Amino acid sequence: MRISNRADRSQSPEIDEDVTGKELDRVARAQLRYLEDRSASWVAKHLVMAGRLLEDDPELAYEHTLAASRRGGRVAVVREAVGIAAYHAGKYADSLRELRTHRRISGSDYNLPLIADSLRGLGRVEKAIELAQSEESANLEPSVKVEMQIVLAGCLSDLGKQDEALAALETLEQLNFNRAFSFSPRLFAVYAELLESAGRSEEAARWVKQVAVAERALGIEEETESFIVDLAPEMDDEEESPRARDLVESDAATETEEPAEEAAESVVDANQTEEESDVEVEQTGHDEEDGLVEVDADHIFSEVSEITDEDAAK
């Protein structure tokens, strides 16, 4: 009997026949190289399945990540996957534990908003606010900072501090009625909800309408990374660091990987149709290069560096 399916454990969920594991991005696959081949394949396939199911069936996605962790529990990307799936399934204690473990292994602060929101989900609102207002959160890249401010606003709203909650979002330069980033529909919707709670219904209605405008401008039905489009043609071009958030990405999404601070954002006129506008989406790999427990970090960095160099050469 496979140890991953022994009697004291539930049966691992089924993997779709078309899943090969090669759907994972190259940085994630680089981390899995330090597993035995069969285990690496097993882990990769379950991570792909988790990515497929995360939005529609988070409970099953979580089961897939648990299956992956049985053979890849020391791999940073696996612990992150478990944490993210647990968060989506509402298992906040598990999410908090796994995301903190991922942070210790990888050294990345990318998931701090999820950690803060998990604290909020556990009723530890003051602790979540403390994390959101910490120095480490102040230094997050712009798109992650937006997510943290959304969490902070939610926490303040939970405490009945509506004015402070609104102020938490109003400090963001990305809260711009005439400009949309890929996270803007969510940001606009949260802001509208807070305005409504504060009794500012007319303003809330304007922002609700702008959610739909932003979604149309972004082509929201398509899978996108962070980029920016003009909702008002007279606005000047801007640059904004892109966000890499996918649990599982296709190889095509990581063919060109650049540091976030160097990736310029595309700007298009919102009056153009999707067919007329040529939006070039800059993408970066998730910050998962820091590798595995009990494996020489320098060796891991060199492995990932070789992959990145090969991609750049292409």
Side-chain angles (χ1 to χ4, degrees):
M1 179 181 293
R2 294 180 305 181
I3 188 171
S4 55
N5 281 334
R6 66 181 188 238
D8 60 335
R9 288 177 173 163
S10 59
Q11 184 78 13
S12 296
E14 295 295 326
I15 297 171
D16 292 346
E17 292 183 1
D18 64 316
V19 171
T20 66
K22 295 181 180 179
E23 297 87 347
L24 287 182
D25 66 74
R26 295 191 178 192
V27 175
R29 293 206 308 272
Q31 292 189 28
L32 299 184
R33 285 181 182 178
Y34 299 96
L35 300 175
E36 185 270 332
D37 287 347
R38 290 181 61 188
S39 292
S41 176
W42 164 275
V43 170
K45 290 178 180 180
H46 278 292
L47 292 184
V48 172
M49 287 299 302
R52 286 187 175 185
L53 295 164
L54 191 62
E55 297 297 331
D56 296 332
D57 193 343
E59 286 282 350
L60 185 54
Y62 179 60
E63 291 301 317
H64 277 286
T65 61
L66 289 180
S69 72
R70 290 166 194 161
R71 297 189 183 184
R74 293 180 177 179
V75 182
V77 70
V78 175
R79 301 306 288 266
E80 180 186 30
V82 178
I84 291 173
Y87 173 83
H88 280 266
K91 301 178 185 297
Y92 298 118
D94 292 346
S95 175
L96 187 62
R97 181 187 64 249
E98 296 299 322
L99 291 176
R100 281 175 167 171
T101 300
H102 169 261
R103 189 180 179 216
R104 287 195 298 270
I105 295 173
S106 69
S108 171
D109 288 335
Y110 182 82
N111 287 310
L112 278 180
L114 290 186
I115 291 175
D117 211 29
S118 294
L119 287 167
R120 179 188 175 198
L122 291 170
R124 300 167 63 184
V125 178
E126 292 81 4
K127 190 68 176 177
I129 292 174
E130 180 183 336
L131 177 57
Q133 295 177 332
S134 66
E135 182 178 350
E136 54 198 351
S137 293
N139 295 324
L140 295 171
E141 67 170 84
S143 58
V144 184
K145 177 66 174 178
V146 168
E147 292 294 336
M148 183 61 90
Q149 289 300 104
I150 289 175
V151 174
L152 175 59
C155 290
L156 293 169
S157 179
D158 291 346
L159 297 176
K161 300 178 179 180
Q162 297 301 324
D163 290 341
E164 291 184 40
L166 286 166
L169 299 185
E170 289 166 351
T171 60
L172 295 168
E173 62 182 71
Q174 293 88 354
L175 185 67
N176 187 324
F177 194 83
N178 293 315
R179 180 148 295 185
F181 300 82
S182 61
F183 47 75
S184 290
R186 169 170 156 74
L187 177 59
F188 292 176
V190 172
Y191 187 56
E193 184 178 347
L194 290 174
L195 287 170
E196 186 67 39
S197 298
R200 296 160 61 179
S201 299
E202 187 174 337
E203 291 177 73
R206 290 179 64 241
W207 282 95
V208 168
K209 290 181 180 179
Q210 202 67 356
V211 171
V213 173
E215 288 178 342
R216 288 195 300 270
L218 293 166
I220 205 67
E221 71 279 3
E222 298 177 359
E223 189 68 22
T224 60
E225 295 300 323
S226 289
F227 58 93
I228 178 176
V229 300
D230 270 333
L231 301 184
E234 70 276 7
M235 301 292 288
D236 293 331
D237 291 359
E238 290 183 5
E239 290 187 354
E240 195 271 343
S241 298
R243 176 185 176 189
R245 64 167 180 80
D246 288 342
L247 175 66
V248 178
E249 299 175 327
S250 67
D251 287 345
T254 55
E255 283 297 320
T256 304
E257 297 189 1
E258 300 175 356
E261 63 270 21
E262 296 179 5
E265 300 291 0
S266 300
V267 183
V268 300
D269 189 334
N271 292 326
Q272 293 175 310
T273 64
E274 284 185 41
E275 292 76 13
E276 293 170 337
S277 62
D278 183 15
V279 182
E280 295 182 2
V281 183
E282 296 288 349
Q283 298 181 333
T284 62
H286 198 296
D287 183 15
E288 294 163 350
E289 291 90 345
D290 291 339
L292 317 176
V293 172
E294 298 184 5
V295 177
D296 181 25
D298 291 336
H299 183 48
I300 294 172
F301 290 141
S302 65
E303 289 282 349
V304 176
S305 177
E306 288 175 7
I307 292 173
T308 304
D309 291 342
E310 289 172 5
D311 291 342
K314 294 179 182 178

